Amino acid sequence: MHSSLSTRDLALAALFAALISVGALVSIPVFGPVPLTLQVLFVLLAGLVLGARLGALSVVAYIVVGFAAPVYAQGASGPGALVGPAGGYLVGFVAAAYIVGSLAQRSQAQTLWPLLGIALVGLVPIYAIGASWLAWQLHTTGFETVVWGGIVQFVPADVAKGVAAALTARALSSLPLGLPALSRPR
């Protein structure tokens, strides 16, 4: 595997950074300071179709754009958003895209159930890093705040996003797009 990125690679990473930004536009307030968004769908999909390196790069690009542009949830921007209560979820997105991408590349899964399993594994770093950061930011270890407010309330919607990501990746795998994590060796 070569280390340089092609123009196509950069364009794919930019496309997914834009999709994650669009996912942030759907922001539904729930219990606590972290809203429910569609970002997780595009983070998981980035890993499934772009692989570890490009998937993580797309999330990093999204975060960097957010330093200057209001692309984070609820129209937030700037480094302050990264150190706020939702900052851990943004960092968790990078880890999730990388892990999902790595698993997708290794397995070369192209059917629903393996893709769904890989997508759902991606929720673990999002919740682990996000809820830990949330607890630290709010100076609490209270179950209701950390576990309910940082994880449990998001699980049903995030599982649905994992299903949507797996279905989309499965559909894309049948197209001759040459997407990194979905391409079979010839």
Side-chain angles (χ1 to χ4, degrees), residues 4 9 11 27 31 34 36 40 43 49 56 59 75 107 116 118 120 125 132 148 150 157 167-168 175 177:
S4 64
D9 291 340
S27 182
F31 174 79
V34 179
L36 179 68
V40 170
V43 167
V49 303
V59 180
S107 73
L116 177 58
I118 291 168
L120 295 179
S132 297
W148 172 254
L167 287 168
T168 304
L175 302 174
L177 299 174

Side-chain angles (χ1 to χ4, degrees), residues 23-115:
L25 294 174
V26 177
S27 182
I28 303 165
V30 290
F31 174 79
V34 179
L36 179 68
T37 70
L38 287 181
Q39 292 166 293
V40 170
L41 166 63
F42 298 114
V43 167
L44 298 176
L45 188 58
L48 288 173
V49 303
L50 298 182
R53 182 173 72 148
L54 286 180
L57 177 64
S58 69
V59 180
V60 169
Y62 161 72
I63 291 170
V64 169
V65 168
F67 286 168
V71 297
Y72 298 145
Q74 300 173 322
S77 66
L82 275 180
V83 297
Y89 294 95
L90 295 172
V91 173
F93 289 169
V94 178
Y98 185 85
I99 291 167
V100 167
S102 181
L103 293 172
Q105 286 174 299
R106 282 192 193 125
S107 73
Q108 295 180 342
Q110 296 186 344
T111 58
L112 179 61
W113 294 112
L115 288 168

Side-chain angles (χ1 to χ4, degrees), residues 94-186:
V94 178
Y98 185 85
I99 291 167
V100 167
S102 181
L103 293 172
Q105 286 174 299
R106 282 192 193 125
S107 73
Q108 295 180 342
Q110 296 186 344
T111 58
L112 179 61
W113 294 112
L115 288 168
L116 177 58
I118 291 168
L120 295 179
V121 166
L123 297 177
V124 174
I126 294 171
Y127 295 151
I129 298 168
S132 297
W133 184 260
L134 179 66
W136 183 72
Q137 280 292 304
L138 299 179
H139 307 288
T140 184
T141 56
F143 178 84
E144 185 174 308
T145 302
V146 178
V147 177
W148 172 254
I151 299 171
V152 174
Q153 69 177 340
F154 298 113
V155 170
D158 287 345
V159 168
K161 293 173 215 168
V163 170
L167 287 168
T168 304
R170 185 186 71 180
L172 291 172
S173 73
S174 66
L175 302 174
L177 299 174
L179 294 168
L182 296 176
S183 298
R184 290 187 177 172
R186 305 260 179 225

